[in-house]
Amino acid sequence: MLRPRPTPTREVVNLDGLWRFAIEGSAGPCPWAGPLDTPLEAAVPASYNDLFTDAAIRDHVGWVWYQRLVRVPRGWAGERVVLRLDAATHQGRVYVDDELVAEHQGGYTPFEADITRLVRPGGEFRLTIGVGNELTNTTIPPGTITVSQDGRRQQKYLHDFYNYAGLARSVWLYSVPAVHIDDITVVTSLDGTTGTVDYTVETSAPATVRVRVLDATGTEVAASSGANGTLRIDHVTPWQPGAAYLYDLVVDIVDREAVVDTYTQPFGVRTVEVRGQEFLINGEPFYFTGFGKHEDTPVRGKGHDDAYLVHDFQLMKWVGANSFRTSHYPYAEEVLDFADRHGIVVIDETAAVGLNLAVEGGLAGRPHRPTFSGETFNDDTRTAHAEAIRELIARDKNHPSVVMWCLANEPSSHEEGAREYFEPLVGLARKLDPTRPVSYAAVMFATHHSDRIMDLFDVVCLNRYYGWYVATGDLITAEAFLEGELRGWAEKFDKPILVSEYGADALPGLHSVWDTPWTEEYQLAYLAANHRAFDRAEAVVGEHVWNFADFQTSNGIHRVDGNRKGVFTRDRRPKSAAHALRARWTRLDNRKPRAAD
């Protein structure tokens, strides 16, 4: 699925703004059958939960409804008219006037509908979008719904971030010719100073295809014809971390000499490889520095915001970060486009967070249900998970910034049934994209002794909190535990190790002369202890602090207005830890630090 872009043969109308808004039950049995009877308006893109003061809206479990009138440009006569949603969290239904035109399950990937037969150029139609936030044992991410004694439906979930919902990303109307380009796939490699570009073009009907490669100055450097083939770029400029260089693949459908449709796909020429205990980009060892992040800001929730996008990337550059993980779901496409242009490396993750009932048992202090079973996470769950992988790779396959797929965060990989669940998913990811390594982020319960699936993956990604959840306040013990485990994973699997999460909560302005958890000083000391262990473990190829910024979570007595592990506050002010990371990371230059540094 190509992202909507204006071209000489395509036009795009952005439908962001204020929409009529109502929750289920307040707008009649068929909210799409006429104008919404509501005084409320909601911003798009934004999560709806924090927009209003009514707790019944914030805590609503079920469907909500967005509606607006849309006018089709009168110049679109003879064109196909397509409606696209960048995301609807977690389920979407789309109605043009009274007719259902699209349904989608999964809250972070796009879907669209050809609505040509239902609209007319110059005419107006009523667009109604239903968004459901319900999570069950067969959704990705999973959850359960309970009913309180007074009849209120309540959503329970296993991920430690607030379950924001709504239209958090843009909605578009766009036109394409009757015969048009449906999809483009670009795979690159390097042969000395020559770049090779394998391309595949899918069209809506048999057509004559012509392709050209333009460099950053707009100069044509390669050309070919046919719907698939290989292009060679002499004296290529590779895409590199911190030094992004993008080419344009211009694809035309032609009829004789007339261009029927044209689309420009940016791409970078680079290679990714795992060799022994090294992670290589363009054949050179790469050391990840950066964060797990969240799409999370005040008021907007998970709503995409270009101002925060720019500022967050500026802060990552300031602190010396070269990478981040899209924890714990695919981020907005604008984020990956920005990373492509600015040379930031991305680990791209599905929304499979919470596939772990051992966490549920640990928090409750009682034996837990088996994570993988017919009654818990089962074949239907895996089917939804597989679709999430398909949609992630289909959307993000052409981004040079994306160097690895992360299939899940903290699944119960040490439990019986984990291998039967994950082995087909790893095979699917490799089939869909054999060019990128595949990983998952392992929970602390899964050690190198007990984990059942790590041999299926390319990189050992570990979420480890020695000194916070284990050996709390005892950093001498924590450092020894961590180093011992890192060496255990390296000896057993002989693969690169990325510490994909490590962190400690800190309340800004809370200080102590002792190692007191929740203070800024303890967060500093915690990070330093972890870094000493990383630097002594040869197989470690990167460190992603949890988290870039404080973020909102569900209600819980173990959280103080959300998760406070950010090195920046939720409104992006640096804690002391941010300055310490800057001192460490700005001198590394993508290199592995040495223990003596």
Side-chain angles (χ1 to χ4, degrees):
M1 184 188 299
L2 296 176
R3 188 171 176 206
R5 301 183 191 275
T7 78
T9 60
R10 299 172 175 227
E11 293 185 2
V12 178
V13 175
N14 181 267
L15 301 181
D16 294 351
L18 293 175
W19 294 49
R20 290 182 175 181
F21 178 84
I23 64 173
E24 184 178 24
S26 67
C30 299
W32 60 88
L36 278 182
D37 183 13
T38 176
L40 300 179
E41 296 180 76
V44 175
S47 304
Y48 63 79
N49 307 80
D50 290 352
L51 295 181
F52 307 99
T53 58
D54 187 350
I57 297 176
R58 177 177 172 83
D59 300 334
H60 176 69
V61 178
W63 290 87
V64 300
W65 299 94
Y66 293 80
Q67 190 179 87
R68 61 162 290 172
L69 296 176
V70 178
R71 187 171 297 280
V72 180
R74 64 180 182 176
W76 288 11
E79 301 291 294
R80 308 301 297 176
V81 179
V82 183
L83 182 69
R84 174 189 166 107
L85 283 70
D86 282 349
T89 308
H90 294 277
Q91 183 178 357
R93 294 175 184 164
V94 183
Y95 296 82
V96 170
D97 293 324
D98 297 346
E99 184 161 335
L100 178 67
V101 297
E103 292 186 272
H104 184 259
Q105 182 71 51
Y108 303 99
T109 44
F111 61 105
E112 61 184 28
D114 186 325
I115 62 172
T116 309
R117 67 177 182 82
L118 299 174
V119 300
R120 58 181 179 82
E124 196 172 55
F125 67 92
R126 185 179 65 255
L127 174 59
T128 309
I129 300 175
V131 182
N133 66 352
E134 297 182 11
L135 299 174
T136 71
N137 68 309
T138 61
T139 63
I140 296 294
T144 56
I145 296 173
T146 60
V147 180
S148 66
Q149 288 185 342
D150 59 3
R152 288 174 295 120
R153 302 177 77 237
Q154 297 177 316
Q155 177 74 70
K156 306 296 183 183
Y157 46 94
L158 296 166
H159 50 270
D160 186 35
F161 55 94
Y162 190 81
N163 192 45
Y164 283 112
L167 295 177
R169 299 176 189 166
S170 291
V171 182
W172 308 88
L173 193 72
Y174 71 94
S175 69
V176 293
V179 178
H180 54 269
I181 301 158
D182 271 335
D183 199 14
I184 299 168
T185 302
V186 178
V187 177
T188 66
S189 61
L190 290 165
D191 181 10
T193 61
T194 300
T196 62
V197 182
D198 295 330
Y199 71 90
T200 301
V201 178
E202 298 178 21
T203 58
S204 62
T208 300
V209 174
R210 182 176 66 195
V211 300
R212 296 172 289 142
V213 174
L214 308 181
D215 67 12
T217 70
T219 302
E220 183 178 303
V221 294
S224 186
S225 60
N228 55 76
T230 300
L231 298 162
R232 296 177 65 84
I233 305 173
D234 295 327
H235 308 294
V236 70
T237 302
W239 187 96
Q240 300 186 69
Y245 190 95
L246 295 178
Y247 292 89
D248 282 334
L249 183 71
V250 181
V251 180
D252 297 330
I253 292 178
V254 295
D255 183 3
R256 297 180 178 88
E257 290 303 312
V259 175
V260 176
D261 188 26
T262 184
Y263 189 90
T264 298
Q265 176 63 57
F267 70 96
V269 179
R270 63 104 183 93
T271 62
V272 178
E273 180 186 359
V274 169
R275 185 187 304 159
Q277 294 184 350
E278 292 184 314
F279 192 100
L280 307 177
I281 298 179
N282 298 334
E284 297 293 328
F286 179 73
Y287 190 82
F288 294 82
T289 58
F291 302 95
K293 288 180 88 272
H294 265 300
E295 292 183 315
D296 175 275
T297 57
V299 182
R300 300 168 185 82
K302 293 201 175 305
H304 176 72
D305 184 287
D306 283 339
Y308 271 100
L309 168 65
V310 171
H311 190 55
D312 283 0
F313 272 72
Q314 283 288 299
L315 291 176
M316 284 193 286
K317 180 179 180 180
W318 174 84
V319 82
N322 61 23
S323 56
F324 65 92
R325 176 169 59 121
T326 70
S327 44
H328 297 298
Y329 38 81
Y331 288 0
E333 290 170 275
E334 290 89 344
V335 177
L336 298 184
D337 287 342
F338 204 87
D340 289 345
R341 296 194 298 271
H342 293 272
I344 298 294
V345 171
V346 178
I347 298 171
D348 209 357
E349 186 167 283
T350 73
V353 55
L355 296 172
N356 195 324
L357 296 181
V359 172
E360 175 188 66
L363 292 175
R366 61 174 181 266
H368 67 87
R369 298 172 294 161
T371 296
F372 305 101
S373 73
E375 293 71 39
T376 54
F377 304 137
N378 52 36
D379 291 347
D380 291 336
T381 316
R382 189 175 60 222
T383 297
H385 196 162
E387 183 60 24
I389 293 170
R390 290 188 192 94
E391 293 185 8
L392 172 69
I393 294 176
R395 194 195 73 166
D396 295 344
K397 60 190 173 184
N398 293 327
H399 288 286
S401 60
V402 175
V403 300
M404 183 158 58
W405 306 116
C406 186
L407 302 191
N409 181 73
E410 297 190 348
S412 202
S413 59
H414 60 297
E415 281 194 58
E416 185 177 348
R419 192 172 190 89
E420 291 78 3
Y421 182 94
F422 275 99
E423 192 163 15
L425 298 178
V426 176
L428 173 64
R430 294 195 188 282
K431 179 180 179 181
L432 294 171
D433 180 13
T435 71
R436 289 179 176 88
V438 179
S439 66
Y440 79 97
V443 71
M444 285 196 70
F445 300 144
T447 69
H448 56 285
H449 298 298
S450 63
D451 181 272
R452 297 169 182 250
I453 64 174
M454 190 60 77
D455 61 295
L456 301 172
F457 295 83
D458 301 300
V459 177
V460 178
C461 290
L462 301 177
N463 295 355
R464 291 299 181 263
Y465 291 93
Y466 293 108
W468 189 250
Y469 296 122
V470 176
T472 309
D474 181 359
L475 292 176
I476 295 175
T477 299
E479 185 176 335
F481 280 176
L482 175 59
E483 183 176 354
E485 190 179 356
L486 292 173
R487 295 193 182 282
W489 284 97
E491 182 178 348
K492 182 171 183 178
F493 292 102
D494 192 29
K495 295 179 180 183
I497 298 173
L498 170 64
V499 183
S500 43
E501 288 185 22
Y502 66 109
D505 288 83
L507 290 175
L510 184 63
H511 299 286
S512 177
V513 297
W514 302 290
D515 278 347
T516 303
W518 290 91
T519 63
E520 291 195 50
E521 287 79 12
Y522 187 79
Q523 190 180 41
L524 283 169
Y526 169 94
L527 293 176
N530 276 260
H531 295 156
R532 289 192 295 269
F534 302 164
D535 295 351
R536 292 192 297 266
E538 295 80 2
V540 172
V541 297
E543 52 198 59
H544 276 180
V545 175
W546 189 259
N547 192 281
F548 171 74
D550 295 343
F551 58 92
Q552 192 56 257
T553 62
S554 59
N555 296 331
I557 59 173
H558 62 301
R559 296 287 178 231
V560 182
D561 190 30
N563 191 305
R564 296 303 190 97
K565 291 187 179 67
V567 303
F568 297 96
T569 63
R570 199 180 187 206
D571 58 355
R572 277 45 176 184
R573 289 173 294 171
K575 302 178 188 177
S576 299
H579 296 278
L581 288 170
R582 185 171 190 259
R584 173 178 170 83
W585 288 349
T586 52
R587 63 183 170 82
L588 294 184
D589 191 27
N590 301 333
R591 297 179 296 111
K592 163 73 175 174
R594 298 171 299 174
D597 282 355

